[in-house]
Amino acid sequence: MEPVHLRPLNNVPLTSVPACAKTMRTPSALLRILLLLMTIGWHQYASAQQKFTLSGTVKDATSGELMISTNVFVEPSMKGTTTNLYGFFSLTVPEGKHTLKVTFLGYETLVQEIDLKANVQLNLELKPAGFTKEEVVITGEKKDENTRSTKMSTVEIPIAQIKELPALMGEVDILKTLQLMPGVQSASEGNTGLYVRGGGPDQNLVLLDEAVVYNVSHLFGFLSVFNGDAIKNMELTKGGMPAQYGGRLASVLDISMKDGNMKKYEVEGGIGVISSRLTIQGPIAKDRASFIASGRVAYAGLLGSLFVDPESNFAGTSYFFYDLNAKVNYIINDKNRIYLSGYFGRDVFNFANNNGGFEAGLAWGNATTSLRWNRIFTPKLFMNTGFIFSDYDFTFSAGQQEFDFSLFSGIRDFNLKTDLNWIPDVRHNVKFGANYIYHIFTPSNVAARSGDVQFDLGPEVRFHAHEAALYIQDNWDISDRVSINAGLRGSLFSHVGPFNRYIKDQTGQTIIDTIPYSTGQNVKTYIYPEPRISGRVMLGRHNSLKASYTMNFQYIHLASLASVSLPTDLWVPSTDVVKPQEGHQWAAGYFHNFFDNQLETSIEGYYKLMYNLVEYKDGAQPGDNILDNPDNNFTFGNGDSYGLEVFIKKNGKRLTGWIGYTLSWTNRVFPALNNGQPFPARYDRRHDLSFVGSYRITDRWAISAIFVYGTGAALTVPVSRYFIDGQIISEFGDRNGFRMPDYHRLDLGATLHPNPKKNRRFKSTWNFSIYNVYSRQNPFFIYFATEANEEDQSVKIEARQVSIFPILPSVTWNFKF
């Protein structure tokens, strides 16, 4: 282990909450503004002239997959829209002759002349564009769409581009790619956790086909649970969150699975260093129904053998994971369609000590199911209704001789939701809907026995809660230069019985009373409005200013004793003790495109306030939850985050990539921690820089590179140790008052297409990657070695760094037929 030098942080310039921010916590003024804007918009709509509507769906011509965020517009007016998550579009324009254009990244532009004299329904298909050696820019959007849209703080990366980037151990990972974007950081070396604009991992709403995924990691955080072969689209929203989303403070990651090929059967997969995957899809009834099934599995025993000497006492220790995605969809008629999709994944770790006879096992995983119905009521009104199930659980068991111990925790949701999309004319796109979730929390249930003796550790503890929301929003083009997206979300959360509230004395050590609540009895209810607004002003043909404000409430919380998110973390609800987390974010940015959209640039600044954040009290241990309420071991505080993000993106057929840079500060204030003084959050990073590039040399070869740099993570360290009565006592410095060494790494990759001809049935690719090319010893964690001299009562402390990933070459073979 190499000694490592830690540097102290400067004093944290915190964040007393500005008076204007406190005023914004009462949003009545903003609500009145939103209502006024909507009233003006409806008056404008009512006075509009008679028009007709073009509506329908857009599909991939080769597979029948519905295409998301496809641009549909008419010339010469350039009025247009984009398809929703189900490929639906509606465009109302004056009667007469129009040129309809449909564009999407990597597809040929569809051009169709239309003489509009009545409402027209179209089911359109786009053909994938072939590769040419000439430099052809395919942006997949109307010119300057990124500057003209009211969207800001949003990330979309094509799955095909992600697959050509170098990856850790050759495993394509969409979450690791998102970490390369400005405003998004990782927890540590190789970890898939997302820390967005100063938010924690529990503040991200991660959806897979609209089902919540509570734990997004395999391999203790080194790989994500999302198999790229099964994913069609993903979008990360860092700010300006639309009113249709709620329940989290930091971000929304909305991931859509493929529907399944409607035209023909396809098989694809890959064999990598640590796992293999296989996907099968095809029509059940051609152009009517289809399916897709995609599986991935790590090689059982291999992952354990990578880190355990077969001659050691720990031989037999193993680790593996697997996951399965499946989906079927059926077109009932032109107006109705149903989907049934699911995900199931599991990690299994078995530890064995042959010498002491000690054995332990950990297993955790997610299960989701989504049943959805799409209905087109009119050319202007689309509905999606779904029943959704989500489940996450963690189990731990251990035994030695006659002693056995087990622990179980988890969360389960039953979700009923409906979303409607009304598009009255080309200037308005209205979304509204309702959502209800029934939560069941199971935090830290423990059982233990010794021989025939069963220890009484209390009954199984569960928390029950209802969560509901109503929302409405309108994306309104006030003029060709000015657009706004105004919305309002109303949310409710109710913690109900059965539940026992344990009351403790002033020391917090002894339970002095118990308040019982019967089944269904209200324990605590919270109701809040959540206004959202964003806007865009065009400054010229290719540049614009954008701004947004969002107010969010988060009713469920992740309690963690570790510095990174682990399977052992507990999900708990808001209660009479734990208040909902509250967030306010302001953002503003300048967007400018150059060279006919070949270069997209933006600079965004943001400021975020967070209230009622949750941490464990100093000295808390997992066992403290036994025969007690978990929230009795929590402490609460506030925080803020602010920063500047710079993004430069290169579009093209041969050369693509981006540069992202973030300058940020993230601080916390907890009265019970750090003597009540402000301190940086553990994922506070001053500088975060990434360079990402891919270059298509020929139709056979493509190369790629990634370089990342980040300020070292904050940590708390012992500043002195001394003897008292023969015992070594540690005295710690300020919370998160020191930094690890800075992080940086270079990855290189190459993709070979041995048989690129389009008409070949069997296709394959070889992906070669080198992770950490110059073998930088980046810190995974720091520990402190102590050398004590009892004679002179002196103690020497040395910080030592543990690094886990040196240079790692890998190769993956992918196939498709």
Side-chain angles (χ1 to χ4, degrees):
M1 303 297 178
E2 295 293 331
V4 59
H5 299 286
L6 303 176
R7 62 184 187 278
L9 297 176
N10 296 326
N11 292 332
V12 181
L14 192 95
T15 32
S16 53
V17 179
C20 63
K22 294 180 180 178
T23 302
M24 286 304 296
R25 297 184 71 179
T26 305
S28 58
L30 183 56
L31 294 180
R32 288 195 294 269
I33 293 172
L34 294 180
L35 292 173
L36 176 62
L37 290 172
M38 289 181 176
T39 301
I40 296 172
W42 302 139
H43 175 74
Q44 182 189 61
Y45 167 63
S47 61
Q49 68 184 72
Q50 175 67 41
K51 299 175 181 179
F52 295 109
T53 301
L54 292 166
S55 65
T57 58
V58 181
K59 300 179 182 179
D60 182 308
T62 60
S63 66
E65 282 273 356
L66 292 170
M67 298 179 64
I68 301 170
S69 298
T70 304
N71 296 288
V72 183
F73 58 99
V74 294
E75 293 182 341
S77 66
M78 295 300 293
K79 301 299 182 185
T81 187
T82 58
T83 57
N84 65 13
L85 287 173
Y86 297 93
F88 174 78
F89 71 92
S90 177
L91 186 60
T92 301
V93 294
E95 65 176 315
K97 295 183 178 180
H98 301 273
T99 300
L100 177 69
K101 287 192 174 182
V102 184
T103 65
F104 190 76
L105 175 66
Y107 285 76
E108 296 177 1
T109 297
L110 175 66
V111 181
Q112 187 171 328
E113 300 296 331
I114 295 178
D115 188 1
L116 195 61
K117 297 180 179 179
N119 292 339
V120 175
Q121 182 173 339
L122 300 170
N123 293 315
L124 306 172
E125 295 187 343
L126 292 188
K127 297 179 180 179
F131 174 78
T132 61
K133 292 184 179 181
E134 294 77 17
E135 178 75 7
V136 178
V137 177
I138 300 178
T139 63
E141 57 189 27
K142 293 188 296 181
K143 287 187 177 182
D144 303 304
E145 176 67 15
N146 65 307
T147 62
R148 292 182 176 277
S149 169
T150 56
K151 279 187 179 181
M152 64 181 300
S153 310
T154 301
V155 175
E156 291 183 82
I157 309 173
I159 301 299
Q161 184 177 5
I162 294 174
K163 288 185 175 182
E164 294 204 343
L165 296 176
L168 174 63
M169 293 182 282
E171 293 293 316
V172 173
D173 196 316
I174 63 175
L175 296 189
K176 282 192 172 65
T177 305
L178 289 174
Q179 292 171 356
L180 302 172
M181 307 302 291
V184 184
Q185 299 168 352
S186 64
S188 61
E189 167 82 88
N191 195 281
T192 59
L194 296 180
Y195 295 81
V196 181
R197 290 186 171 177
D202 65 318
Q203 295 178 349
N204 304 311
L205 177 63
V206 182
L207 302 173
L208 180 64
D209 271 1
E210 302 184 39
V212 176
V213 180
Y214 281 101
N215 186 291
V216 297
S217 300
H218 284 310
L219 198 58
F220 293 102
F222 291 113
L223 297 175
S224 81
V225 300
F226 302 112
N227 180 353
D229 290 346
I231 303 303
K232 176 167 64 174
N233 182 78
M234 68 168 182
E235 181 179 85
L236 175 69
T237 302
K238 302 178 293 180
M241 190 182 297
Q244 69 200 73
Y245 298 114
R248 302 294 188 278
L249 298 191
S251 74
V252 176
L253 177 57
D254 198 346
I255 301 173
S256 299
M257 288 171 51
K258 293 178 179 178
D259 299 329
N261 198 312
M262 284 272 190
K263 306 288 186 181
K264 60 183 179 181
Y265 292 98
E266 282 188 346
V267 178
E268 64 179 310
I271 300 174
V273 175
I274 64 171
S275 71
S276 293
R277 62 191 193 280
L278 182 68
T279 300
I280 303 174
Q281 59 179 317
I284 299 173
K286 190 173 182 180
D287 293 326
R288 176 68 67 176
S290 67
F291 76 95
I292 182 171
S294 183
R296 179 175 57 164
V297 61
Y299 310 123
L302 174 61
L303 296 180
S305 66
L306 289 176
F307 304 103
V308 178
D309 185 344
E311 302 299 323
S312 75
N313 292 329
F314 305 110
T317 297
S318 66
Y319 179 95
F320 69 96
F321 67 82
Y322 58 89
D323 48 39
L324 173 68
N325 298 78
K327 187 174 186 176
V328 294
N329 75 100
Y330 175 62
I331 302 174
I332 302 172
N333 52 43
D334 286 344
K335 295 185 180 295
N336 295 276
R337 184 169 183 160
I338 56 173
Y339 301 84
L340 178 62
S341 60
Y343 167 83
F344 181 80
R346 201 121 191 108
D347 290 64
V348 179
F349 174 72
N350 293 305
F351 174 83
N353 185 329
N354 297 328
N355 187 31
F358 176 76
E359 295 183 350
L362 294 90
W364 68 92
N366 301 280
T368 71
T369 303
S370 301
L371 175 62
R372 292 167 294 169
W373 168 40
N374 287 179
R375 166 74 176 175
I376 301 175
F377 286 105
T378 72
K380 298 181 180 182
L381 183 61
F382 176 91
M383 182 197 72
N384 170 57
T385 295
F387 176 76
I388 299 164
F389 169 80
S390 296
D391 180 81
Y392 168 72
D393 68 86
F394 165 81
T395 59
F396 170 78
S397 60
Q400 187 171 25
Q401 298 177 358
E402 293 188 350
F403 180 78
D404 292 305
F405 172 85
S406 63
L407 179 148
F408 171 83
S409 68
I411 179 172
R412 178 171 293 179
D413 292 346
F414 299 90
N415 182 355
L416 180 63
K417 66 190 295 283
T418 186
D419 302 291
L420 293 105
N421 189 186
W422 177 47
I423 310 171
D425 68 1
V426 73
R427 291 195 178 275
H428 291 275
N429 191 329
V430 182
K431 295 181 179 179
F432 56 100
N435 184 25
Y436 166 77
I437 305 173
Y438 178 56
H439 297 284
I440 303 174
F441 300 83
T442 310
S444 288
N445 286 281
V446 180
R449 68 175 180 86
S450 180
D452 295 330
V453 178
Q454 188 77 33
F455 296 99
D456 182 13
L457 300 177
E460 182 176 283
V461 177
R462 292 190 176 187
F463 291 82
H464 302 263
H466 304 283
E467 184 174 357
L470 297 170
Y471 75 90
I472 183 170
Q473 69 179 37
D474 181 19
N475 196 82
W476 174 27
D477 290 333
I478 299 174
S479 68
D480 290 342
R481 292 190 58 192
V482 180
S483 293
I484 64 168
N485 187 316
L488 178 63
R489 181 181 182 90
S491 58
L492 174 147
F493 189 89
S494 181
H495 175 209
V496 298
F499 175 69
N500 289 324
R501 166 57 66 195
Y502 298 110
I503 308 299
K504 290 191 168 184
D505 61 14
Q506 292 183 348
T507 67
Q509 301 298 317
T510 305
I511 296 175
I512 59 175
D513 195 10
T514 302
I515 303 175
Y517 293 87
S518 60
T519 300
Q521 184 179 356
N522 181 58
V523 178
K524 184 66 175 180
T525 296
Y526 298 95
I527 302 175
Y528 291 108
E530 301 178 31
R532 320 280 176 83
I533 187 167
S534 60
R536 175 270 294 163
V537 177
M538 295 298 301
L539 302 179
R541 291 182 57 191
H542 309 293
N543 56 331
S544 66
L545 287 174
K546 300 183 184 182
S548 67
Y549 165 75
T550 56
M551 180 180 184
N552 299 73
F553 285 89
Q554 178 169 330
Y555 299 102
I556 65 175
H557 318 269
L558 187 66
S560 176
L561 287 168
S563 60
V564 297
S565 180
L566 293 174
T568 52
D569 297 343
L570 300 181
W571 286 98
V572 294
S574 294
T575 64
D576 54 333
V577 171
V578 183
K579 295 180 180 179
Q581 297 179 52
E582 178 182 347
H584 301 261
Q585 183 179 163
W586 297 262
Y590 175 72
F591 297 75
H592 200 144
N593 290 354
F594 299 91
F595 311 117
D596 196 28
N597 277 23
Q598 291 189 52
L599 198 64
E600 299 179 7
T601 66
S602 67
I603 179 168
E604 291 188 43
Y606 67 90
Y607 181 67
K608 181 190 294 186
L609 293 172
M610 293 164 281
Y611 303 93
N612 307 323
L613 303 179
V614 178
E615 293 278 1
Y616 271 105
K617 295 177 181 177
D618 281 340
Q621 299 294 328
D624 296 341
N625 295 329
I626 299 174
L627 295 174
D628 195 2
N629 302 130
D631 52 21
N632 283 334
N633 300 305
F634 297 161
T635 185
F636 310 98
N638 302 326
D640 71 352
S641 182
Y642 51 95
L644 192 70
E645 300 171 1
V646 178
F647 186 56
I648 302 172
K649 178 183 177 183
K650 172 64 173 67
N651 294 312
K653 184 65 176 181
R654 293 165 62 88
L655 176 63
T656 59
W658 66 84
I659 300 173
Y661 170 72
T662 306
L663 172 68
S664 63
W665 290 261
T666 301
N667 305 307
R668 298 288 186 263
V669 178
F670 282 72
L673 302 178
N674 203 48
N675 297 317
Q677 296 301 308
F679 59 90
R682 59 193 176 204
Y683 31 83
D684 172 60
R685 302 273 177 83
R686 192 68 63 247
H687 304 281
D688 197 85
L689 175 69
S690 61
F691 291 85
V692 180
S694 298
Y695 184 72
R696 192 73 178 264
I697 303 173
T698 67
D699 58 352
R700 288 171 55 86
W701 280 100
I703 57 175
S704 58
I706 295 173
F707 175 77
V708 294
Y709 169 85
T711 301
L715 76 163
T716 306
V717 303
V719 293
S720 64
R721 285 180 176 168
Y722 45 86
F723 280 100
I724 294 181
D725 297 331
Q727 300 293 321
I728 297 178
I729 305 300
S730 297
E731 182 178 335
F732 286 85
D734 291 341
R735 193 178 185 92
N736 296 334
F738 287 79
R739 293 274 185 195
M740 291 185 183
D742 291 346
Y743 180 96
H744 52 88
R745 189 189 80 240
L746 173 67
D747 306 333
L748 298 176
T751 302
L752 170 64
H753 301 259
N755 45 8
K757 295 181 180 179
K758 294 177 63 176
N759 57 354
R760 292 196 60 160
R761 177 65 175 169
F762 183 86
K763 298 180 181 179
S764 67
T765 61
W766 289 90
N767 291 91
F768 307 92
S769 66
I770 304 176
Y771 182 88
N772 198 4
V773 170
Y774 51 85
S775 200
R776 161 75 174 177
Q777 297 299 298
N778 288 303
F780 183 64
F781 65 85
I782 303 289
Y783 73 96
F784 298 89
T786 302
E787 295 182 8
N789 188 327
E790 294 189 18
E791 293 183 359
D792 60 8
Q793 298 288 292
S794 64
V795 180
K796 181 182 178 181
I797 306 173
E798 184 178 68
R800 295 182 179 177
Q801 171 181 308
V802 175
S803 302
I804 58 174
F805 291 126
I807 181 172
L808 285 176
S810 61
V811 59
T812 303
W813 178 59
N814 302 301
F815 59 87
K816 183 176 182 178
F817 60 89

